[in-house]
Amino acid sequence: MSLTLEVVPLTLDRVRKSAHPVFPVRVLDGMSSALVVFAAGFYGAQDAIHVADAGLVGTCVDVDADKLLLMEAMYPEGWEFRVADAFAFARTWRHAHRRWDIVTVDSPTNLFDRCAADVEVWCDLAWRTVVLGTGVETAVEVPEGWRVSDVVQRSDYRGGVFWTVLERC
Ligand SMILES: C[S@@+](CC[C@H](N)C(=O)[O-])C[C@H]1O[C@@H](n2cnc3c(N)ncnc32)[C@H](O)[C@@H]1O
């Protein structure tokens, strides 16, 4: 018996078809740049694809070099892809005063608390908005000058996974 495997190329259109629909796309209106940390797990189906479709230029950060390489081949010209620990990357660029219009933080669930503890770092990197992955028990201490403008449920996993949207007031 012989087995034939069909290799279907990964394209942005395929990522788009698997895109998770609840990302709060309204916050992308009028923005031009995005920092997408923890970007590569599903090639951006949860966040980066929405950022690309809204016409922003993204900087994607992840520790998974192979997936980032595949993303680099698919996403529009001008996007940056950086293999790095997201926390170290954030501290470096915070120190260098680099900012993006929006920062999205889609960490694995076991890093929700650590990401929430670093909320000030993500906010310092964003001119306008931070979209933070959170769980039911994640405590987010909102930095001065910021407010939580929306909390969107993404799934029922472990009692609920959410996008918590923080915006500069
Ligand atoms: C939930 S997935 C992200 C999904 C992604 N936002 C998407 O839409 O495809 C979590 C990602 O975090 C990455 N990751 C885990 N620890 C990391 C770290 N310390 N720094 C950067 N990336 C990390 C994993 O490689 C994985 O790609």
Side-chain angles (χ1 to χ4, degrees), residues 15 20 36-50 61-65 67-68 71 75 82-89 104-112 114 122 154 163:
V15 175
H20 202 249
V36 184
V37 289
F38 307 100
F42 311 106
Y43 307 101
Q46 316 222 61
D47 44 19
I49 187 66
H50 299 292
V61 178
D62 202 285
V63 288
D64 191 326
K67 284 189 176 172
L68 281 183
M71 287 178 77
Y75 277 75
R82 297 279 171 258
V83 182
D85 170 73
F87 301 102
F89 181 95
T104 69
V105 185
D106 186 21
S107 75
T109 50
N110 66 321
L111 292 178
F112 279 173
R114 186 165 170 205
W122 313 122
R154 302 165 63 187
W163 286 123

Side-chain angles (χ1 to χ4, degrees), residues 20-27 131-134 148-155 160-165:
H20 202 249
V22 302
F23 188 86
V25 289
R26 63 148 190 98
V27 301
V131 179
L132 180 68
T134 50
V148 171
S149 64
D150 208 355
V151 178
V152 185
Q153 181 149 11
R154 302 165 63 187
S155 78
V161 172
F162 306 85
W163 286 123
T164 295
V165 181

Side-chain angles (χ1 to χ4, degrees), residues 34-37 39 57-61 79-82 89 98 100:
L35 171 63
V36 184
V37 289
V57 175
T59 301
C60 293
V61 178
W79 279 56
E80 288 178 53
F81 295 85
R82 297 279 171 258
F89 181 95
R98 183 170 177 189
W100 291 258

